[in-house]
Amino acid sequence: MDIHRCRFVPYPLSTINALAFSHPSSASRKSRVPATLRLAIGRANGDIEIWNPQGGAWIQETTFRGGKDRSIEGLVWTQELDDEDEEGEIIPGKLRLFSIGYSSYVTEWDLELGRPARHSGDNFGEVWCLAAQPRKPHAPGAGAHKPKASVQERLVESQDLAVGCADGAVVLLSTADADLKFKRSVSRSSKKKARILSIAFQTPFVVVAGCADSTIRISDTRNGQLLRTISLGVNATGGPRDILVWSVKCLPDGAIVSGDSTGEVRLWDGKTYTLVQRVKGHRADVLDVDFSADGETLISAGMDRRTVMYKKTGKGSGARWAIMSHQRLHSHDVKVLARYEAGDLSVLASGGLDATLVVVPIRQHSLENHRKISTLPQQPPLHSAPRRRLLMSWWDREVWIWRVDGSSSNMVTADQPLPVGGSRSRTLVARVGIKGEESILSASLSATGDLLAVSTASDIKLFRLKEQTSEDKATMKVRKMIKPNNLCGKGARLLEFSPDSKWLCAVLPDSQVRLARIVKSKSSAGLKILSHVFRLKRMQRHEAEKKEKKKKKKTERWTGTLGRYDRTVQRAAFSADSRILVLGDLSGYLDSWVLEGYEDESEDASDNEGTNGAASPSSASSNSSDDDDDVDGDDDEDGIGSDDSKAARRKRSKIVKGQKWIPNPSASLLPKLPSAPTVLSFRPASAGQNATSTTGAIGLHPTRHEPHPHSHDLPTGEDRLFVITSQQQLYEFEIRKGRLSAWSRRNPSTTVPNDFRILRDRAMGCVWHISETEDKDKDKDKQRVWVYGNTWLCMFDLAQDFSPRAGTGTGTNDEIDISSSNNAPQQQQPDSSSRSSRRKRKRELRTSLDTHDILREHNSGAGSQIPDADLSRGMGRKIRKLGPALAVARTEAAPAPAAGGGAGGAGGEPDGANQEEEEIILLQDDATNHHHQQHIEDVDDDDDDDDDDDDDGNDDGLDTLALSSIRREQTKNPRGTGLGLVNGSSHETGPGEQDTSTTTTTAVAAAAAAAAEKPRPAFWCTYKYRPILGIVPLQRHSGDERARHRQDQGDDPTGEEELEVALVERPMWDVDLPAKYVGDQEWVK
C-alpha cells in the first residue's frame, strides 16, 4: 500500500468550555450505570458533542453543530417526571439538555434533531453560568415522584434552572410542562453589578453564587431572600483588588467548596457559612472544582495545567483536607471538570484550551492510568474522488479541495532524502465558503469529482465542479446547482453520493431518508437533479423495542429516556454497483434498500423538469408531498388516493429510467447489532461483477396499463457488507440474503485478534485492497481491508481465517443469531460439553493473555490498570504467601509440585496448588512498555511524542515505518530494524507559512525468497501514524505512469496494482494555542 502522509489539512481545534453528565452520581457500588448515560461536551465554536461512555469505550455518537460567533459556555441536563402508560408500565422521564453561551438566552436542544428546540431570553442580562435544581433519587410511592402526579406536584418537583447574569442578578427558570419559562428573580443586581461567575444548589431551595467582587452569596429561591454574603477578603498586594470566585460546589453534607483567582481552594461550613480551611493547591487561578460521590475526595483544576486531588482525613469537627496528588494532564489551562460514579464506573472528565478530553479514575486513582481521548472527530470529515485524485475536507463553514500529485518524480523512497526546493505534491484547486451562520454538518464529493454536496442543519447545497486552467495553474470552477423543491429548507445530518455518481442520499435531521437522481443534461451545467425524490421508509421496530424494554424494566425504570435519539442514523454505505443502500443507527439496527431493474437510457426522465434539474413552476407550487416518492407507502397515504390520475402518476413516478428503489426483501433477517456501527463498507466489486446490463427494457413491451415497463430483477453484484461495532466486533453480512457471510461464520468475535479487541480508540473508517489473480491458486488473491482509528492502522486479510485464541475454541458461541424473531442479537447457548470445556480452559485463557491485556479489560472507565511493578503509591493490590515448593518454582522456573499451597489458593479444589502456581506466575510477570499503552500519557507529559518506538509484537516479523509504504509481502529484516525514515515535514517554511508538506513514500524491493515463503498474516497493526484525521483512497493517473513508478522502485512493471491512499494527520504540535501560564522551575518546549 502506497501512503501519502498528508499534514496540510488545516483542521481547526476548538476549546472545551463545558462538560455535563446526563445523570447524577451515586455513592453506592451496587447501583447500576444507566444505559442512557451520556456526556455532553460544549466547545468554543458552538458545537455540542454527545459521548457514550459505554463501559470505558467512549463513543462520540453525534455532534450538534454551532455557527458563526457562537460558543457553548455551560451545559446542564434535567429529567422530566416518570409516567405510566395504559398498561400500568413505567415510562421513564425524558432527558433534556440546556446550554448557554455569551448571550442573554438559555437554549434547550432537541436531541433527536440536533438543533435548538426553544430559547428563553426574558428581561435579564447576559448569562454567565447556570445550574440545575437537584432532585432526590426516585423511590416508588415517594410523594410527587409517583406516576400520574397532580399538576401542582409536577410544578413543585420539576427541575428549575438557576441562571447567573453579568449584572449580578440570579434568575430562576421553570422547565415544567416540557417548556422553558421565566419563573422569578432570586436576587437583584448589587450596586457594583458584579457578575455571577459560578452557581450551584446547596439544597433544592438554596442557591450559592460566586461573584467577581470577592463574595459568595447564598439565597433562598422560594422567596428571593439573601441568606448570607461571604467575603473572601482582599487579594494579595500587587494583584487585582477583587478575588474572582470561578467555581463553587456543595458537598453531600452541605459544605461549600470554592475555587478562586488566588489559586486557593476554600471550604466553608454549610450551616454557619464560616471558613473551615483553605488549601493552596495551585500557582494560578482555580477554574473549577468537583468532588467524589461520597464527599471524601476533592478535585480542582486551573490555569497552571494541574489537576489536584485532595483527601479528607479525620472525622467530625477535626476533619481536614490534604493534597493527595497533582498531575499535569493537559498542555494548557484546564477550564472545566465533570464526574460520574455509579457501579464500576468512577471517572472524572476534564477539558480546556488544548481541546483534549481527559478521563481520570477517581475510585481507582493511582491504581489506573488516565486516558487522553483524541481531539479529532470519530467520523472523518474527509472525502476523495479517486478518479481525479481529489481530496476534500470541511470544517465550520468552509470546504477545501486539493489535488494530490502521484507522479513518480515526486515520489521518494525510504532511503532517499526529501528534495529541497522541489515542487509540492498537492495543489489547492477549490475553496468553497458556505453563506449563513450555520456550520457544515456533512459534505460529500462524487467519485467522478464533478459534484459537491454540502448540508447544514437547515439547508442542502449542491455545486458543480469543472476544471479550468489559467496561467499554468489548474483550478476548479464552482457553480451552484438548483436542487429539488422537496430538499429546499431541509438540512441533512448525512450526505453520500453513490459510487457511480448517479444517486445522492440525504439523511435529514429527523433521520428520514431521501434519494435524488442525477442525470446528464444538455444545458451548460451538463448535469441536473430530477425533481422527483425518493422517500425511503425505515423499518418499524416497535415490537422489538417493546420486548427489549420489558427485559430491561427493572434496570431502566428510573434512568430516564432519550426518546427516539437512539434511532439516529450515523452511517451510510452504497454497494460498489450503487444498487444497494444500507444505513446504521445508534441502536444497532441496519436498514437496507435495493435498486430494482436496470437503467434504461432510452427512457426520458425529464418530464415536468425545468432547467438544470429544477422543478417546473407548476410543480413548484404544488404540494411537496406529490414530489416525494414513498417506496413502500400506499397511494392514498397523503389523502390523494381517490384521484385515479394522481395515484397513477405517483405510481409511475417511483420508476426513474427503468429503476425503482424497494425495501430489501431480506431486511427483516438482518439482526440488531450488539452496539452502534462505527464502520459500514461494502466490498469492492471484482472485474467479473462489474459487467451488468444497462438496458432495462429488453424483452419488455409497453401495454395500456403499463406504458413504461421495467424489469423487476434485483441486483446480483457484490453485496457483502463489512461492519465494525463500537465494541470492536467484526461482522460481514450478505445483505441480499440477510445472513452472515461464510468468512464471518468461520470467524466469530471470539477469534478476533486480541491486539485489535483491546484497542482504546474506536474504528473510524476503512479502505479496501481487493485483487484477483488469473492463476487458479486462490491463496494469491488479496482481500484486505485496512481499518484505522485515531492512533492506529490495522489490516485484516479476509481471504484467511483468524487463529483462535487459546482457550476460546473455534465455535460460534459468540456469534449473533440471525434467526431471532425480534431482530435482536442472541447468544447461542453452548451445550453441556461446551460448558464443561470452557470451565477447564478458563485458567488456560487467563495465562495465555498478556498481563497488560488483562489489566486493560478491568478498569473503572478510564485507562488500564497500572501493573503492580509500576505502582508509585501504596503496597500493591495483593499480598502473596509462597510455600516451599512454589518458591523453588520461582527460582528454577519449573512446574511446582502439587504439594505446598499458599494462602491465596483454592484450598477446597483438587487443583488448588496449580491455581496458586498460575496466579504467582501471572503476578510476577514484569511490566514492559507494551505498544497497546502508547496513548496513555505519563504524569506531567505535556506533549505527544511522534517518534515512539512501538513494536507490534506479531510472530510474522512484519514491520513498517511512519513514512514507509506498507507491503504485505515484505517482512522485517533479520535484525528487526526498520526500512528507513523520511520526515515529510522537515522542510523549512517561511515566516507565517503553514507547514503543508505531503510525503509520498514507497517501500523497497521484496524481501528475500526464503522470507517470502512465510504464510501471509491475517492481521497486522501499526501505531506509527497519529493522530489520524482520516484515510481516503486515491488512484494513479495512467497505466504508463504506474508502470514507470513501479520500475523506479524495483518492482515488476506488469505486476498487480497496489493500493494508494492519502493518510491525513493533524498533530497537536501544529495547532496554534494562546499563551499559557508558565511557573517557576518549569521548562516549556
Side-chain angles (χ1 to χ4, degrees):
M1 182 171 71
D2 291 338
I3 296 180
H4 296 257
R5 192 175 184 180
C6 307
R7 290 182 179 174
F8 53 79
V9 178
Y11 187 82
L13 303 179
S14 185
T15 299
I16 296 178
N17 289 337
L19 294 171
F21 281 100
S22 58
H23 293 73
S25 298
S26 173
S28 174
R29 293 288 298 270
K30 297 181 180 180
S31 59
R32 299 187 179 182
V33 180
T36 53
L37 177 67
R38 298 295 186 272
L39 172 65
I41 301 178
R43 295 189 179 269
N45 60 356
D47 291 353
I48 298 179
E49 301 172 1
I50 306 298
W51 290 72
N52 185 355
Q54 204 176 79
W58 295 101
I59 311 302
Q60 184 182 358
E61 293 185 335
T62 185
T63 301
F64 306 155
R65 295 296 180 187
K68 183 180 180 181
D69 299 330
R70 299 179 189 175
S71 178
I72 302 298
E73 297 298 323
L75 290 169
V76 294
W77 294 80
T78 63
Q79 181 182 341
E80 296 180 351
L81 294 178
D82 298 341
D83 205 344
E84 282 187 2
D85 59 10
E86 298 177 354
E87 300 178 358
E89 295 184 0
I90 301 297
I91 301 177
K94 188 175 182 180
L95 293 169
R96 302 168 66 182
L97 178 63
F98 301 87
S99 70
I100 59 172
Y102 290 141
S103 67
S104 59
Y105 294 93
V106 177
T107 302
E108 180 181 359
W109 291 84
D110 191 321
L111 299 178
E112 300 174 15
L113 299 180
R115 59 176 60 163
R118 58 184 58 87
H119 301 276
S120 176
D122 291 280
N123 240 347
F124 48 85
E126 183 180 356
V127 178
W128 269 70
C129 55
L130 83 163
Q133 184 181 27
R135 195 172 70 181
K136 295 181 180 180
H138 294 289
H145 292 133
K146 294 187 297 183
K148 296 185 178 179
S150 65
V151 176
Q152 185 64 26
E153 289 174 331
R154 288 180 177 275
L155 290 175
V156 172
E157 292 299 325
S158 63
Q159 290 181 270
D160 294 336
L161 300 181
V163 174
C165 303
D167 58 0
V170 176
V171 177
L172 207 62
L173 303 178
S174 173
T175 63
D177 298 330
D179 203 350
L180 184 62
K181 297 180 179 179
F182 173 81
K183 190 171 184 178
R184 70 172 64 92
S185 292
V186 177
S187 64
R188 303 289 180 180
S189 57
S190 61
K191 294 181 180 179
K192 294 183 178 180
K193 291 188 176 181
R195 65 173 59 95
I196 306 297
L197 300 178
S198 55
I199 194 169
F201 278 90
Q202 185 184 24
T203 69
F205 303 107
V206 176
V207 64
V208 180
C211 307
D213 59 351
S214 306
T215 61
I216 298 176
R217 301 183 209 162
I218 296 96
S219 305
D220 192 322
T221 60
R222 292 168 292 190
N223 51 25
Q225 179 183 0
L226 182 63
L227 302 179
R228 185 68 60 89
T229 298
I230 303 175
S231 176
L232 276 70
V234 182
N235 204 349
T237 305
R241 176 180 176 82
D242 293 328
I243 298 176
L244 307 178
V245 184
W246 290 114
S247 178
V248 291
K249 294 292 172 61
C250 298
L251 299 179
D253 60 359
I256 300 174
V257 183
S258 66
D260 52 55
S261 57
T262 64
E264 292 183 344
V265 174
R266 310 191 188 200
L267 294 104
W268 312 83
D269 188 275
K271 296 180 180 179
T272 62
Y273 303 115
T274 57
L275 181 64
V276 175
Q277 185 181 357
R278 51 198 295 180
V279 184
K280 182 72 173 181
H282 295 266
R283 300 177 182 177
D285 296 38
V286 178
L287 299 181
D288 200 4
V289 295
D290 213 324
F291 55 91
S292 61
D294 58 4
E296 298 295 322
T297 303
L298 284 179
I299 308 104
S300 64
M303 291 180 59
D304 59 354
R305 311 190 301 279
R306 286 186 177 186
T307 301
V308 184
M309 282 199 174
Y310 312 82
K311 270 293 185 181
K312 189 176 182 180
T313 60
K315 296 182 180 179
S317 59
R320 304 293 290 176
W321 292 89
I323 297 178
M324 181 176 64
S325 67
H326 66 85
Q327 299 172 300
R328 284 195 177 92
L329 307 177
H330 293 264
S331 60
H332 217 291
D333 300 4
V334 187
K335 296 189 64 176
V336 63
L337 301 174
R339 58 105 175 105
Y340 181 81
E341 294 182 85
D344 294 332
L345 188 64
S346 176
V347 294
L348 171 76
S350 61
L353 291 180
D354 61 357
T356 303
L357 176 66
V358 177
V359 183
V360 183
I362 299 179
R363 190 183 301 122
Q364 297 295 322
H365 182 68
S366 77
L367 298 178
E368 290 182 2
N369 291 293
H370 67 279
R371 179 183 174 189
K372 286 188 176 181
I373 299 178
S374 176
T375 59
L376 303 178
Q378 291 186 357
Q379 192 164 1
L382 294 174
H383 241 282
S384 70
R387 301 178 189 177
R388 297 172 68 175
R389 305 184 62 82
L390 297 178
L391 171 64
M392 179 195 70
S393 181
W394 69 90
W395 57 87
D396 294 340
R397 294 172 303 283
E398 295 185 37
V399 178
W400 287 24
I401 303 177
W402 295 268
R403 176 176 284 105
V404 181
D405 188 5
S407 61
S408 59
S409 60
N410 287 329
M411 306 280 281
V412 290
T413 60
D415 56 350
Q416 292 178 340
L418 189 70
V420 179
S423 60
R424 293 186 176 181
S425 56
R426 87 280 173 194
T427 303
L428 181 64
V429 296
R431 182 175 175 180
V432 182
I434 305 301
K435 294 182 179 180
E437 297 184 351
E438 294 181 334
S439 297
I440 297 174
L441 281 177
S442 179
S444 183
L445 185 66
S446 63
T448 55
D450 51 7
L451 287 175
L452 171 65
V454 181
S455 67
T456 62
S458 61
D459 199 8
I460 300 175
K461 302 179 185 294
L462 301 175
F463 301 93
R464 177 76 163 89
L465 306 178
K466 189 175 182 181
E467 292 191 17
Q468 62 180 1
T469 304
S470 60
E471 298 180 358
D472 298 333
K473 184 178 181 181
T475 59
M476 301 192 76
K477 183 179 180 181
V478 181
R479 179 178 179 182
K480 190 175 181 180
M481 297 181 64
I482 301 177
K483 57 182 176 292
N485 291 316
N486 34 32
L487 290 183
C488 294
K490 296 181 179 180
R493 65 170 63 248
L494 188 61
L495 294 175
E496 189 73 25
F497 280 105
S498 62
D500 60 4
S501 303
K502 295 181 179 179
W503 297 95
L504 172 62
C505 174
V507 180
L508 304 186
D510 56 357
S511 293
Q512 295 186 31
V513 187
R514 299 289 187 269
L515 271 177
R517 181 65 160 90
I518 303 168
V519 297
K520 295 181 179 180
S521 173
K522 297 180 180 179
S523 62
S524 58
L527 295 173
K528 66 179 180 181
I529 300 179
L530 300 182
S531 62
H532 295 292
V533 176
F534 286 88
R535 181 176 57 185
L536 307 185
K537 280 187 126 181
R538 301 171 61 193
M539 286 187 61
Q540 301 296 328
R541 314 281 185 173
H542 298 308
E543 293 298 326
E545 292 175 355
K546 191 174 182 180
K547 292 181 180 178
E548 290 183 9
K549 287 181 180 179
K550 288 184 177 179
K551 293 181 180 179
K552 301 179 180 180
K553 183 177 179 181
K554 295 183 180 180
T555 59
E556 299 289 337
R557 183 167 185 173
W558 307 107
T559 58
T561 178
L562 295 171
R564 303 287 295 175
Y565 167 80
D566 60 343
R567 294 304 313 277
T568 301
V569 175
Q570 288 297 318
R571 298 293 187 272
F574 276 99
S575 62
D577 59 0
S578 304
R579 299 190 62 187
I580 303 178
L581 173 64
V582 177
L583 303 179
D585 59 25
L586 295 177
S587 62
Y589 286 112
L590 297 178
D591 294 287
S592 57
W593 299 266
V594 295
L595 186 59
E596 184 184 69
Y598 298 100
E599 185 176 8
D600 186 3
E601 295 291 351
S602 61
E603 180 182 338
D604 185 11
S606 59
D607 295 338
N608 298 328
E609 297 288 340
T611 60
N612 201 15
S616 60
S618 60
S619 63
S621 61
S622 63
N623 194 334
S624 61
S625 63
D626 293 340
D627 293 331
D628 271 347
D629 300 329
D630 190 353
V631 299
D632 40 332
D634 297 329
D635 292 338
D636 57 348
E637 182 180 358
D638 294 323
I640 59 175
S642 58
D643 191 340
D644 295 339
S645 60
K646 288 185 178 181
R649 186 179 64 183
R650 286 176 58 86
K651 186 176 181 179
R652 288 195 304 269
S653 67
K654 298 177 183 178
I655 303 173
V656 176
K657 286 187 171 293
Q659 293 179 309
K660 173 185 176 182
W661 284 97
I662 64 172
N664 178 21
S666 302
S668 60
L669 300 178
L670 293 174
K672 180 184 177 183
L673 299 173
S675 56
T678 57
V679 174
L680 290 180
S681 181
F682 279 93
R683 284 202 189 196
S686 60
Q689 293 173 329
N690 286 329
T692 57
S693 175
T694 59
T695 306
I698 294 180
L700 301 177
H701 304 283
T703 63
R704 181 180 12 174
H705 300 288
E706 196 70 33
H708 300 284
H710 76 286
S711 173
H712 294 276
D713 293 341
L714 298 179
T716 59
E718 181 63 75
D719 69 331
R720 285 176 291 181
L721 177 70
F722 184 71
V723 180
I724 301 179
T725 68
S726 59
Q727 297 177 357
Q728 301 292 57
Q729 296 168 315
L730 275 63
Y731 301 104
E732 189 180 51
F733 294 101
E734 296 178 357
I735 297 298
R736 293 198 312 271
K737 298 179 180 179
R739 67 183 185 186
L740 292 168
S741 67
W743 178 88
S744 191
R745 291 194 295 269
R746 295 193 308 269
N747 297 271
S749 298
T750 54
T751 62
V752 173
N754 197 54
D755 288 349
F756 176 77
R757 184 178 56 84
I758 65 175
L759 288 173
R760 293 291 186 191
D761 295 323
R762 303 297 96 177
M764 298 167 52
C766 68
V767 291
W768 289 87
H769 186 194
I770 302 294
S771 63
E772 295 184 359
T773 60
E774 298 179 356
D775 194 352
K776 295 182 179 180
D777 187 6
K778 293 298 181 180
D779 293 337
K780 297 183 179 180
D781 294 345
K782 289 185 178 180
Q783 301 180 25
R784 295 174 179 167
V785 55
W786 294 84
V787 184
Y788 63 92
N790 284 124
T791 56
W792 51 265
L793 174 64
C794 295
M795 184 277 298
F796 296 95
D797 191 349
L798 304 188
Q800 304 183 58
D801 293 338
F802 297 135
S803 299
R805 297 200 302 268
T808 60
T810 58
T812 59
N813 55 354
D814 194 36
E815 201 63 82
I816 54 178
D817 183 8
I818 64 175
S819 61
S820 56
S821 58
N822 61 350
N823 293 331
Q826 303 290 337
Q827 301 292 334
Q828 295 183 359
Q829 298 296 332
D831 54 14
S832 58
S833 61
S834 176
R835 285 193 295 266
S836 61
S837 62
R838 287 179 61 185
R839 294 193 195 100
K840 295 177 182 178
R841 292 194 302 261
K842 186 176 296 185
R843 301 186 195 93
E844 180 185 358
L845 173 60
R846 180 174 179 83
T847 55
S848 64
L849 293 177
D850 192 284
T851 305
H852 291 269
D853 301 342
I854 299 175
L855 295 177
R856 294 172 74 90
E857 290 180 349
H858 304 89
N859 58 67
S860 61
S864 306
Q865 295 185 24
I866 302 176
D868 290 349
D870 293 343
L871 287 176
S872 58
R873 303 180 185 91
M875 58 183 299
R877 296 184 180 87
K878 296 182 180 180
I879 299 177
R880 294 172 293 164
K881 181 179 180 181
L882 302 179
L886 293 182
V888 174
R890 290 189 60 184
T891 57
E892 298 181 358
E909 296 186 7
D911 55 347
N914 292 334
Q915 285 187 350
E916 180 78 10
E917 175 188 352
E918 291 180 0
E919 182 182 8
I920 295 303
I921 292 175
L922 176 62
L923 290 178
Q924 73 178 5
D925 186 17
D926 293 335
T928 57
N929 294 326
H930 198 272
H931 64 281
H932 296 308
Q933 290 185 326
Q934 49 82 28
H935 65 287
I936 304 297
E937 302 296 335
D938 293 332
V939 174
D940 288 350
D941 188 8
D942 296 338
D943 57 332
D944 297 332
D945 185 6
D946 186 51
D947 298 328
D948 290 348
D949 187 11
D950 300 323
D951 183 15
D952 57 315
N954 290 335
D955 293 336
D956 52 32
L958 293 176
D959 193 14
T960 186
L961 289 180
L963 299 178
S964 297
S965 178
I966 302 172
R967 301 285 183 92
R968 297 300 343 124
E969 304 88 355
Q970 300 176 6
T971 59
K972 188 190 297 184
N973 58 39
R975 295 183 180 179
T977 57
L979 299 176
L981 177 63
V982 176
N983 188 352
S985 60
S986 60
H987 72 284
E988 296 181 357
T989 57
E993 181 182 357
Q994 184 178 4
D995 183 4
T996 57
S997 61
T998 303
T999 301
T1000 306
T1001 61
T1002 307
V1004 295
E1013 294 178 358
K1014 290 185 178 181
R1016 296 184 310 183
F1019 170 78
W1020 179 86
C1021 191
T1022 183
Y1023 305 89
K1024 293 297 183 180
Y1025 305 95
R1026 59 179 185 174
I1028 299 176
L1029 181 63
I1031 302 178
V1032 292
L1034 298 175
Q1035 183 176 340
R1036 299 196 188 278
H1037 290 295
S1038 63
D1040 295 339
E1041 186 171 348
R1042 290 195 297 268
R1044 184 171 59 253
H1045 171 63
R1046 295 180 63 85
Q1047 188 173 7
D1048 293 341
Q1049 303 305 322
D1051 297 340
D1052 182 10
T1054 61
E1056 63 170 301
E1057 176 60 17
E1058 287 290 337
L1059 174 65
E1060 184 181 4
V1061 300
L1063 188 151
V1064 181
E1065 296 174 294
R1066 191 66 174 106
M1068 278 297 299
W1069 60 79
D1070 199 26
V1071 178
D1072 293 330
L1073 295 175
K1076 59 185 176 182
Y1077 171 84
V1078 179
D1080 297 336
Q1081 303 299 320
E1082 290 187 28
W1083 291 266
V1084 180
K1085 296 181 181 178

